[in-house]
Amino acid sequence: TLGTPLGTVGVLDFAGAGVVHLVGGTCALVGAIIVGPRIGRFTHDGQAMEIPGHNTIIQGLGAILLWFGFYAFNSGSTLALTGGFASLAAKVAVNTTIAGAAGGLAVLIVMRFKLHSFDLNGLLNGFLVGLVAITAGCGFVEPWAAFCIGTIAGLSYVLASWMVVSLHIDDPIDAFAVHGAGGIVGLFCNGWFPSKQNVAFVTGIEPTSWGIFYKGGGTQFGVQLLAIVVIMGWSATMACLVFFAIKYCPGLGLRISADQECQGLDVSKHGGFAYPEICQIQQATTVALYKTGSHPMTGNDAKAVSMKNLKELTELSIHASVPPADKDGFVIVTA
């Protein structure tokens, strides 16, 4: 919708790339920073250790269900099907499909060159970041622009994911790379791709500025950039207040103890193994074992493990088809 005007120009955000996704992505990034990395995510020398997901089938199903939900999310934002809005809802659905596919394709191609294989996780997150980005402009742009927006969003996901890891921030599901970067791209592109006709029809207001590609001047682009800064600043501030309040509130706290984390929440919180096939490894689904002493992220709270036990559990991990200890003494066991 057309936000509160700055002069005569308001923020273009059709279905919430800013007020939904950028808010959530920014809060997720702040939360990840304050909570801190999982045990074993980074080694002493700063190397990132992969802790992969355990069920790509469920992951794929979830991504497809989310994609399906975006048709209601985006097309439903027309708020009507009369007075020409049925045609608008149809175009929104087309743009949503194209952007999601373009985002997935862009990430798939980049990962193919980077990893020399087709990465399913990257493909699924590419779908999602394309869908997130198009929420801002799905009612304002044409299908060719939706392809461009989805492609830019896919590339931004790869860059944002790399940036977060390089800063030693542990974002397990790439929430910022998908929702934060996708929201930024969506708002950014609404300064370039919307036509005067589309903006006028959707908002019911004769616009004074629109996309640069349609010779609408740079005012709309400037307003979109300002929206990105304001949304991220407000969201980060509110998130800091909430997360720090929880972290330092007696009886609450943001994360579990090192012992509970090593056991796994299925054991420590729910009293049983989620994956019975690895019951022989008492440290459960995702566990980091390290040398006697302390861990760079947990200090004296780290669980000391004798080298004898480390060797025995490493042998168990080999039988369970999971990575053994690395050169720094870390063992990451996944189901």
Side-chain angles (χ1 to χ4, degrees), residues 92-104:
V92 167
V94 170
N95 286 342
T96 299
T97 303
I98 292 174

Side-chain angles (χ1 to χ4, degrees), residues 281 283 287-293 303-318 323-333:
I281 305 177
Q283 261 50 38
V287 68
L289 297 176
Y290 32 90
K291 295 176 182 177
T292 302
K303 183 181 177 68
V305 179
S306 69
M307 294 307 296
K308 178 181 178 182
N309 288 340
L310 180 62
K311 181 176 182 299
E312 293 173 352
L313 287 167
T314 301
E315 292 174 353
L316 284 176
S317 71
I318 294 174
D326 67 357
K327 61 183 177 61
D328 291 310
F330 290 84
V331 177
I332 296 178
V333 181

